[in-house]
Amino acid sequence: MNVLLVEDEARVADFLRRGLKSEGIFVECAGDGESALELLEQRFFDVVILDLMLPDISGQDICRKMRARRNYTPVLMLTALDAVDERITGLRLGADDYMTKPFDFDELLARIQALVRRETDFKHGPDDKLLCHGSIRFDTQSLVVTVDGKPIDLTGKERDILRLFLSNTDRVLSRERILNAVWDSQEDPLTNVVDVYVGRLRKKLGEAGKSVQTVRGMGYRFEL
């Protein structure tokens, strides 16, 4: 699981980063709104934990900009602003959940997991039976993958990677994200197992495999 933490208080950010890391969650930190928006343009995140009181752009404006750009990553607002109208405003702007400081870490973790579970259930609902891109067709019920109408023999892990790519087209997926989603692994992200399997998948897809682009220093993107 990949989380973007937008928090300008170093002490709070470090506490959350260490706590989430101990639960096997990869955390990218941004200390201001501009940095957060840049990261959201470049990478895929499962959840955004968003402080409202930031030095440049407010958390409310970040949430507003995300939704205007059709970025629907689940947002959990975490702030000292505990007035009811503040919570209502945040939720109306597109936030998915709202917690006030001080907070219980176990409750925060449970809320993050609930947001990811809800998003995963939505993405892999019945409408995703057939995933398509160009000449690639992936029937997620029969597990048959075809390219230009011809069946392609993929291993289970290769199919899982392809499904992840087809469900997140034009988004950068880090190696940590792929490891966690496909292997449910807490392995060192520097391992080359992801690169090996992506290389095999590209080869089996032939010309269609060119859609899988390497993003140097970040991971992979399945281009539209």
Side-chain angles (χ1 to χ4, degrees):
M1 186 192 306
N2 288 342
V3 168
L4 175 60
L5 172 61
V6 189
E7 171 63 65
D8 64 323
E9 289 188 46
R11 180 180 57 82
V12 176
D14 184 61
F15 167 75
L16 284 171
R17 182 187 60 78
R18 288 186 289 107
L20 294 173
K21 183 179 179 180
S22 71
E23 297 293 331
I25 298 173
F26 177 79
V27 180
E28 186 84 36
C29 296
D32 58 74
E34 288 292 349
S35 299
L37 290 171
E38 287 179 12
L39 285 168
L40 285 164
E41 287 290 315
Q42 298 169 358
R43 303 190 185 185
F44 171 88
F45 295 97
D46 295 290
V47 173
V48 177
I49 301 176
L50 181 60
D51 186 19
L52 297 189
M53 302 176 67
L54 296 167
D56 52 355
I57 305 172
S58 72
Q60 291 97 329
D61 284 340
I62 292 173
C63 192
R64 185 184 295 111
K65 288 176 182 288
M66 284 177 62
R67 300 319 187 211
R69 296 175 184 179
R70 299 185 183 277
N71 184 325
Y72 299 112
T73 303
V75 172
L76 191 160
M77 288 184 169
L78 186 64
T79 177
L81 301 175
D82 60 354
V84 173
D85 59 341
E86 293 285 355
R87 281 178 277 172
I88 292 172
T89 298
L91 293 170
R92 284 179 173 169
L93 286 173
D96 299 271
D97 203 350
Y98 195 110
M99 286 187 71
T100 57
K101 301 175 183 176
F103 57 89
D104 180 84
F105 180 80
D106 287 338
E107 181 184 358
L108 174 68
L109 182 62
R111 287 176 182 249
I112 292 171
Q113 291 168 337
L115 288 174
V116 172
R117 186 167 58 248
R118 186 175 71 189
E119 183 74 358
T120 300
D121 291 344
F122 173 77
K123 283 184 178 179
H124 298 297
D127 291 341
D128 284 342
K129 176 187 174 184
L130 185 65
L131 298 173
C132 304
H133 174 78
S135 61
I136 302 172
R137 298 289 185 275
F138 184 0
D139 187 319
T140 60
Q141 288 194 349
S142 67
L143 300 182
V144 173
V145 177
T146 62
V147 176
D148 290 325
K150 299 178 180 179
I152 303 299
D153 185 21
L154 300 179
T155 67
K157 295 300 185 187
E158 290 164 353
R159 281 196 302 268
D160 288 345
I161 293 173
L162 180 60
R163 178 170 182 164
L164 187 64
F165 282 144
L166 291 174
S167 299
N168 296 279
T169 51
D170 222 28
R171 286 180 167 179
V172 176
L173 300 179
S174 68
R175 288 172 177 80
E176 295 94 334
R177 160 71 169 158
I178 298 171
L179 272 172
N180 189 271
V182 176
W183 280 268
D184 191 23
S185 173
Q186 310 303 329
E187 293 183 47
D188 184 339
L190 295 179
T191 180
N192 69 346
V193 66
V194 171
D195 300 323
V196 169
Y197 273 83
V198 169
R200 291 177 183 172
L201 177 62
R202 278 174 171 154
K203 186 175 181 179
K204 290 184 178 182
L205 293 176
E207 283 296 309
K210 292 181 179 179
S211 293
V212 182
Q213 298 291 314
T214 301
V215 182
R216 189 178 298 276
M218 296 172 66
Y220 294 97
R221 178 175 58 236
F222 198 90
E223 293 192 339
L224 293 172

